[in-house]
Amino acid sequence: AEVVFEEEKQNRKVEIIVHSDGAALVVGASEATEFRGALDKAVDRVGRQLREQRKRAREHQAPPLQERLTGD
């Protein structure tokens, strides 16, 4: 993961970039008056995206073999 901090006149920007094998790049960015607030928002955004990615991957999997054999 990469974390980029930028400081402008009144705003602090944080960007988090997460690289993972076999999955799309996840980027969360935020802006606030303090770095801590911007970081918290960016972490929340990355977490939400990762949970959604994991949910999509689980829904895409085939059902268990026993379930396919019995037709339940």
Side-chain angles (χ1 to χ4, degrees):
E2 298 174 47
V3 181
V4 180
F5 292 92
E6 291 182 27
E7 186 172 9
E8 293 182 355
K9 292 180 182 179
Q10 298 294 324
N11 290 332
R12 311 298 185 261
K13 295 179 182 180
V14 176
E15 183 178 48
I16 301 172
I17 305 164
V18 178
H19 306 270
S20 77
D21 295 335
L25 191 68
V26 176
V27 179
S30 183
E31 192 174 314
T33 57
E34 295 183 5
F35 277 123
R36 180 65 186 196
L39 181 61
D40 287 343
K41 289 178 188 177
V43 167
D44 288 344
R45 290 177 180 172
V46 167
R48 190 174 335 117
Q49 290 179 34
L50 289 171
R51 282 189 298 277
E52 185 62 32
Q53 224 178 47
R54 184 175 56 197
K55 179 182 171 188
R56 276 190 245 122
R58 285 185 179 178
E59 289 173 354
H60 188 71
Q61 291 178 351
L65 181 59
Q66 186 64 32
E67 188 176 306
R68 287 184 278 164
L69 293 175
T70 60
D72 291 335

